Each structure stands twice: as structure tokens, then as C-alpha cells.
Amino acid sequence: MTDVYLHGHHTSVLAAHGTRTAADSAAYLLPHLREGLTVLDVGCGPGTVTLDLAEAVGSSGRVVGVENVEAPLAQARRHAQERGDTRTRFALADVMALPYAASFDVVHAHQVLQHLPDPAGALRQMARATRPGGLVAVRDVDYASMVWHPASDGMTMWLEVYRRLARLNHAEPDAGRHLLAWAHAAGLTELTPSASVWTYATAQHCAWWGDTWARRALESTFATQAIEHGLLTAAELGEVSAAWRRWSTHPDAWFAMTHAELLARV
């Protein structure tokens, strides 16, 4: 089956993903990086995390970021140019058929497995691209862990529809809780699991997070798929967007989600 990326690569999605850093998205991996290592970043998106990983392995390291479509790679290359990074390379590649074998010390994927029909197969491909003794590193959210205050019917509808759409795409939105099972199915054995939380609770963070999803509720692949599958009308998507905006300005607004993390020694 072909995977369908539920977020898509719309401007609002790339803008949100472009705020990510290694510190907030790969902190569990950073202590294992050092000068001179080689890193493959699978599903690199607009490349901000990738470029942080490149800083962590220094001028003698080598980092490659891959995506299966060109749109995010163009933005990743712009981000590299803005940082003055001429070493990090961004290329087209499919995680289900990586064109590498025993080539990298670390193969990393952030928020990728949740979108794939065969996450265990993707892990096998990542392990194949890793040198003996190297690390596969993955981190994925668990959508069912998302909690917020105040209560919002519109946001509850958003989450229910998102999880239904993901499964219609033969993907697993509650990926975090499955990482160990997928690693076992992939034949990985030396595993170090952990978890961390993203929290939005300040006025600034809630305004940004709410605005991001208010826009994505109207203009991302989530919106087009929700209409195509008959799960939401355009008017209902408008209600979802408005609900995110109301939540984002509430003085008591609070939102959190759990991410599972896994290091696998190859």
C-alpha cells in the first residue's frame, strides 16, 4: 500500500515544522552524537532538526536529510543556505527503499512512522542503512495522549476525525505506544525506550499552536481528506478552525501530548 501523508506539505504545515529544533524534537538522541559521526535524517521535512544534528556532529561529520517529495527539500536547502551550512545534503529517497546499506552511524526519523502502512518495514530499512554498532533513533507522538483545557467540542471533533483519517490511510496515529512492538517486529533487539512531552501553556505558545492548527484545519491535506471521505463538511472545518482560535486566546489554555522515543543499537 502507498502511504498518504495526512498533513501534506502546505505552507502552514511547513511553517509549523520549520520551527522544530533538535532540542525540542530529538533531545533523547543528542547525548549520543559527537564530532565526526555520519547521520541520515529520514523524513527531514524543512530541515531545521537536520541542520541542528549537523551542528552536533561538527565539521568532520556528514549529514544527509531525505524526503520522498521535493517540496520540503526546497525549503530545507533554503534553511541550510540561511545558516551558511554547505555540508548538509538533502535528497529524494523513500524510507521503504532507502538507497543506502551500512552507510551511517545514526539513522534518525522524527514523526515519520505514524504515517506509514508498514512501520516495521521502515525500521528494517533504517537498520539496513545503519553501520554495525550504530543507532536507529525514532520519535513519534501518540495522538490519543493529546489533552487540553478548556474543553472544546470543535477540537474534540478535530482529533476524532484526524485519527479516523490516519487509519483510513492504513497508518497509526497513536504510534508512540507501538514503537517497541514495531521494533520487535523489525528484529531489533538492543532497545532503549523513553518518552517526553510537548506542552503549550503560555499565552505565546498557545497563540502559535492554535493559529497553526486553525490554518491547517482549512488548508492542509487533513482538510481535503476530511471532505473527500465525507467526515467533515467545509462548514464543519470552519467550526474546527474557529474552535482552535477560541482555545488559543483563552487565559487558561493548556495543551500537552506524549511522544515515545526509541534508540536501537544495530
Side-chain angles (χ1 to χ4, degrees), residues 50-203:
T50 319
L51 294 166
D52 285 352
L53 298 179
E55 290 184 9
V57 299
S59 59
S60 62
R62 180 173 64 93
V63 176
V64 177
V66 296
E67 272 285 357
N68 64 352
V69 293
E70 183 61 38
L73 293 176
Q75 191 166 108
R77 294 181 186 112
R78 284 195 295 272
H79 284 147
Q81 186 175 27
E82 290 166 3
R83 291 200 194 190
D85 183 327
T86 58
R87 295 177 294 105
T88 303
R89 187 166 66 86
F90 295 97
L92 280 170
D94 187 341
V95 66
M96 302 310 300
L98 290 173
Y100 310 104
S103 301
F104 295 90
D105 298 306
V106 177
V107 178
H108 166 263
H110 182 257
Q111 311 282 33
V112 172
L113 298 183
Q114 63 184 278
H115 300 292
L116 304 177
D118 183 12
L123 284 169
R124 283 191 289 271
Q125 283 288 307
M126 292 174 68
R128 188 179 65 84
T130 307
R131 291 172 179 157
L135 285 173
V136 170
V138 290
R139 183 175 190 259
D140 267 280
V141 71
D142 192 308
Y143 269 77
S145 76
M146 292 184 177
V147 290
W148 58 81
H149 180 81
S152 167
D153 290 341
M155 290 169 65
T156 297
M157 180 165 57
W158 160 79
L159 182 56
E160 290 174 350
V161 171
Y162 183 97
R163 293 173 75 227
R164 287 183 66 187
L165 285 172
R167 292 191 169 116
L168 286 170
N169 290 333
H170 308 287
E172 178 48 71
D174 305 336
R177 70 189 68 186
H178 296 280
L179 289 190
L180 270 176
W182 292 339
H184 291 152
L188 302 175
T189 56
E190 192 175 336
L191 307 175
T192 304
S194 58
S196 57
V197 177
W198 278 352
T199 306
Y200 302 93
T202 67

Side-chain angles (χ1 to χ4, degrees), residues 26 29-35 37-39 52-54 56-57 106 135:
L29 172 61
L30 289 178
H32 300 272
L33 300 181
R34 63 181 187 277
E35 179 79 28
L37 291 184
T38 56
V39 179
D52 285 352
L53 298 179
V57 299
V106 177
L135 285 173

